Amino acid sequence: QICLSLVKLLFYLAHSPLGSIVLLDFQPRQFVMVDGNLKVTDMDDASTEELSCKEDNDCTLDFPTKSFPLKCSVVGKCEGINEKKNLFNAYRYFFTYLLPHSAPPALRPLLSDILNATGDLRYGINETLKAFEKVLHLYKSGLYLQKRRLLLKDYISLKGFRTVEGEDYKCWPSYSHLGCLLSIHSAEEAAAICNSQLQCQSFIVTQHRTWTGRPLASFQSSWTDLIPDTNAVVYIKRSASSGERL
């Protein structure tokens, strides 16, 4: 969410009515999330000036660990230098820390491609935004899910119930520090996640949703202490419930 919002912001800056705007003091502390969107808190160090040049050799974009040769345009300006500077700063301050760690396994290669392409400045902001929107579409639609054996049939579902909230086993990347709370596309995906975790014996699908509209599911190591909840469904492994009365 943070990276996509940042890319949308940089897309606007690259195509603003004032021309391509560069953020000269590009640091994470200069941004804040407002209603799920990244905003710039300080525009004092923003500029529409692009580096003047006479030849391509005048247009090297330098960073502490990398340099990029750019073209000198016919009007004597370094072509796209503001856009590329913003994009590489987004890569080194945000993408490298946030993109590789929390996506479903099937989407990680696509995010790795974005990471590599922006790190080498092979993508401009237009291509980067398009790539992010493709990943978002796959994520929201569930098209990233690989065909696999249906696992939900191995679970008993109880509508209108959930387990008592409390600290349980933890997983990554959980929305709660008290247990394993993940976003899912469907109960079938939740069953696959539960089967992949040794501790998991049940999971609860709630009405709570993430910014992409995906429901949240809580994965738990037991299924006892059920309480009524009209907005939840608890799924219990048949193997865990065998011999017990539900």
Side-chain angles (χ1 to χ4, degrees):
Q1 181 181 14
I2 293 171
C3 292
L4 175 62
S5 188
L6 176 58
V7 168
K8 288 180 177 179
L9 173 62
L10 297 187
F11 179 86
Y12 173 79
L13 293 179
H15 301 285
S16 84
L18 300 176
S20 183
I21 299 174
V22 63
L23 301 176
L24 298 174
D25 186 19
F26 198 115
Q27 299 284 341
R29 65 173 180 268
Q30 299 282 26
F31 300 89
V32 64
M33 290 292 284
V34 180
D35 296 328
N37 295 305
L38 208 66
K39 306 285 187 181
V40 183
T41 60
D42 184 3
M43 291 293 288
D44 289 346
D45 294 310
S47 173
T48 57
E49 291 295 319
E50 292 195 309
L51 187 64
S52 298
C53 57
K54 292 182 179 178
E55 56 184 28
D56 290 349
N57 288 338
D58 298 329
C59 292
T60 301
L61 182 56
D62 289 315
F63 292 95
T65 58
K66 278 189 176 183
S67 294
F68 300 95
L70 304 180
K71 296 289 185 181
C72 182
S73 70
V74 292
V75 295
K77 298 289 183 179
C78 293
E79 210 167 81
I81 191 168
N82 288 352
E83 173 188 329
K84 293 180 185 297
K85 189 170 185 178
N86 283 341
L87 190 54
F88 189 79
N89 278 327
Y91 158 80
R92 64 177 181 145
Y93 287 120
F94 287 88
F95 298 172
T96 54
Y97 297 105
L98 300 177
L99 284 186
H101 305 298
S102 59
L107 291 177
R108 288 174 192 168
L110 296 177
L111 293 177
S112 181
D113 288 345
I114 294 174
L115 197 63
N116 293 332
T118 53
D120 295 334
L121 285 185
R122 287 184 285 109
Y123 279 2
I125 191 63
N126 294 359
E127 295 86 354
T128 303
L129 179 58
K130 185 177 180 180
F132 266 102
E133 288 179 335
K134 176 183 177 181
V135 174
L136 179 63
H137 171 68
L138 294 173
Y139 184 60
K140 292 174 70 173
S141 65
L143 291 173
Y144 68 91
L145 293 170
Q146 300 171 349
K147 290 184 178 180
R148 63 180 77 187
R149 183 172 67 87
L150 298 179
L151 301 171
L152 199 58
K153 59 182 176 57
D154 298 330
Y155 290 77
I156 297 169
S157 66
L158 295 174
K159 295 182 179 179
F161 289 92
R162 63 175 173 83
T163 56
V164 176
E165 292 182 7
E167 191 166 348
D168 206 320
Y169 77 90
K170 299 173 176 62
C171 65
W172 176 260
S174 177
Y175 283 82
S176 169
H177 67 282
L178 295 176
C180 185
L181 184 66
L182 302 174
S183 77
I184 57 168
H185 176 259
S186 63
E188 188 63 56
E189 183 183 15
I193 293 172
C194 189
N195 276 29
S196 70
Q197 299 173 345
L198 293 177
Q199 306 100 313
C200 187
Q201 295 298 313
S202 67
F203 62 89
I204 304 160
V205 178
T206 71
Q207 294 296 311
H208 299 293
R209 295 182 179 270
T210 68
W211 65 282
T212 60
R214 288 162 56 97
L216 290 173
S218 177
F219 298 85
Q220 300 181 340
S221 59
S222 67
W223 56 270
T224 55
D225 299 325
L226 295 179
I227 59 175
D229 185 340
T230 57
N231 295 317
V233 182
V234 60
Y235 294 82
I236 304 164
K237 279 185 179 179
R238 292 184 184 275
S239 57
S241 65
S242 60
E244 301 285 346
R245 293 184 63 188
L246 293 181

mmCIF file of all heavy atoms in Angstrom, residues 8 10 15 49 69 79 96 106 166-167 180 191 210:
data_model
loop_
_atom_site.group_PDB
_atom_site.id
_atom_site.type_symbol
_atom_site.label_atom_id
_atom_site.label_comp_id
_atom_site.label_asym_id
_atom_site.label_seq_id
_atom_site.Cartn_x
_atom_site.Cartn_y
_atom_site.Cartn_z
ATOM 1 N N LYS A 8 2.115 6.407 -7.166
ATOM 2 C CA LYS A 8 1.066 7.286 -7.682
ATOM 3 C C LYS A 8 1.425 8.753 -7.456
ATOM 4 O O LYS A 8 1.184 9.615 -8.321
ATOM 5 C CB LYS A 8 -0.272 6.966 -7.027
ATOM 6 C CG LYS A 8 -0.883 5.650 -7.484
ATOM 7 C CD LYS A 8 -2.217 5.380 -6.789
ATOM 8 C CE LYS A 8 -2.862 4.103 -7.312
ATOM 9 N NZ LYS A 8 -4.149 3.818 -6.628
ATOM 10 N N LEU A 10 4.525 9.968 -7.206
ATOM 11 C CA LEU A 10 5.633 10.300 -8.111
ATOM 12 C C LEU A 10 5.156 10.415 -9.555
ATOM 13 O O LEU A 10 5.702 11.206 -10.340
ATOM 14 C CB LEU A 10 6.739 9.250 -7.999
ATOM 15 C CG LEU A 10 7.417 9.127 -6.631
ATOM 16 C CD1 LEU A 10 8.610 8.188 -6.707
ATOM 17 C CD2 LEU A 10 7.849 10.484 -6.088
ATOM 18 N N HIS A 15 4.236 14.357 -13.992
ATOM 19 C CA HIS A 15 3.339 14.891 -15.026
ATOM 20 C C HIS A 15 2.548 16.103 -14.514
ATOM 21 O O HIS A 15 1.465 16.386 -15.025
ATOM 22 C CB HIS A 15 2.366 13.797 -15.482
ATOM 23 C CG HIS A 15 3.044 12.587 -16.044
ATOM 24 N ND1 HIS A 15 3.609 12.559 -17.296
ATOM 25 C CD2 HIS A 15 3.262 11.350 -15.506
ATOM 26 C CE1 HIS A 15 4.131 11.357 -17.516
ATOM 27 N NE2 HIS A 15 3.930 10.608 -16.448
ATOM 28 N N GLU A 49 13.203 22.653 -11.789
ATOM 29 C CA GLU A 49 14.389 22.879 -12.620
ATOM 30 C C GLU A 49 15.026 21.544 -13.001
ATOM 31 O O GLU A 49 15.215 20.674 -12.146
ATOM 32 C CB GLU A 49 15.411 23.747 -11.877
ATOM 33 C CG GLU A 49 14.976 25.188 -11.668
ATOM 34 C CD GLU A 49 14.841 25.930 -12.983
ATOM 35 O OE1 GLU A 49 15.700 25.753 -13.866
ATOM 36 O OE2 GLU A 49 13.854 26.671 -13.127
ATOM 37 N N PRO A 69 24.032 7.180 -16.595
ATOM 38 C CA PRO A 69 24.197 8.135 -17.698
ATOM 39 C C PRO A 69 22.847 8.449 -18.335
ATOM 40 O O PRO A 69 22.076 7.547 -18.657
ATOM 41 C CB PRO A 69 25.106 7.386 -18.668
ATOM 42 C CG PRO A 69 24.820 5.940 -18.424
ATOM 43 C CD PRO A 69 24.473 5.818 -16.965
ATOM 44 N N GLU A 79 17.505 14.739 -19.913
ATOM 45 C CA GLU A 79 16.190 14.143 -20.177
ATOM 46 C C GLU A 79 15.703 13.270 -19.020
ATOM 47 O O GLU A 79 16.333 12.280 -18.666
ATOM 48 C CB GLU A 79 16.290 13.298 -21.452
ATOM 49 C CG GLU A 79 15.020 13.205 -22.244
ATOM 50 C CD GLU A 79 15.301 12.629 -23.626
ATOM 51 O OE1 GLU A 79 15.410 11.393 -23.717
ATOM 52 O OE2 GLU A 79 15.413 13.404 -24.586
ATOM 53 N N THR A 96 13.190 -1.276 -1.437
ATOM 54 C CA THR A 96 14.114 -2.316 -0.970
ATOM 55 C C THR A 96 13.738 -2.846 0.406
ATOM 56 O O THR A 96 14.030 -4.000 0.734
ATOM 57 C CB THR A 96 15.567 -1.796 -0.928
ATOM 58 O OG1 THR A 96 15.607 -0.595 -0.155
ATOM 59 C CG2 THR A 96 16.083 -1.510 -2.318
ATOM 60 N N ALA A 106 3.477 -16.385 -4.812
ATOM 61 C CA ALA A 106 3.277 -16.336 -6.265
ATOM 62 C C ALA A 106 3.500 -14.939 -6.837
ATOM 63 O O ALA A 106 3.768 -14.790 -8.031
ATOM 64 C CB ALA A 106 1.875 -16.828 -6.619
ATOM 65 N N GLY A 166 -7.486 -14.090 22.164
ATOM 66 C CA GLY A 166 -6.381 -14.216 23.116
ATOM 67 C C GLY A 166 -5.082 -14.415 22.374
ATOM 68 O O GLY A 166 -5.058 -14.562 21.151
ATOM 69 N N GLU A 167 -4.006 -14.406 23.086
ATOM 70 C CA GLU A 167 -2.691 -14.558 22.450
ATOM 71 C C GLU A 167 -2.520 -15.990 21.974
ATOM 72 O O GLU A 167 -2.839 -16.947 22.689
ATOM 73 C CB GLU A 167 -1.589 -14.169 23.429
ATOM 74 C CG GLU A 167 -0.223 -14.052 22.782
ATOM 75 C CD GLU A 167 0.790 -13.357 23.668
ATOM 76 O OE1 GLU A 167 0.378 -12.760 24.684
ATOM 77 O OE2 GLU A 167 1.985 -13.414 23.334
ATOM 78 N N CYS A 180 -1.798 -14.781 14.686
ATOM 79 C CA CYS A 180 -1.605 -14.906 13.241
ATOM 80 C C CYS A 180 -2.867 -14.419 12.538
ATOM 81 O O CYS A 180 -3.850 -15.160 12.417
ATOM 82 C CB CYS A 180 -1.303 -16.362 12.885
ATOM 83 S SG CYS A 180 -0.900 -16.621 11.141
ATOM 84 N N ALA A 191 -7.592 -22.129 4.058
ATOM 85 C CA ALA A 191 -7.368 -23.548 4.358
ATOM 86 C C ALA A 191 -5.965 -23.976 3.944
ATOM 87 O O ALA A 191 -5.295 -24.727 4.659
ATOM 88 C CB ALA A 191 -8.419 -24.397 3.644
ATOM 89 N N THR A 210 -9.175 -5.481 4.517
ATOM 90 C CA THR A 210 -8.010 -4.632 4.355
ATOM 91 C C THR A 210 -8.309 -3.540 3.328
ATOM 92 O O THR A 210 -9.403 -3.475 2.762
ATOM 93 C CB THR A 210 -6.801 -5.453 3.860
ATOM 94 O OG1 THR A 210 -7.052 -5.887 2.506
ATOM 95 C CG2 THR A 210 -6.575 -6.676 4.740
#
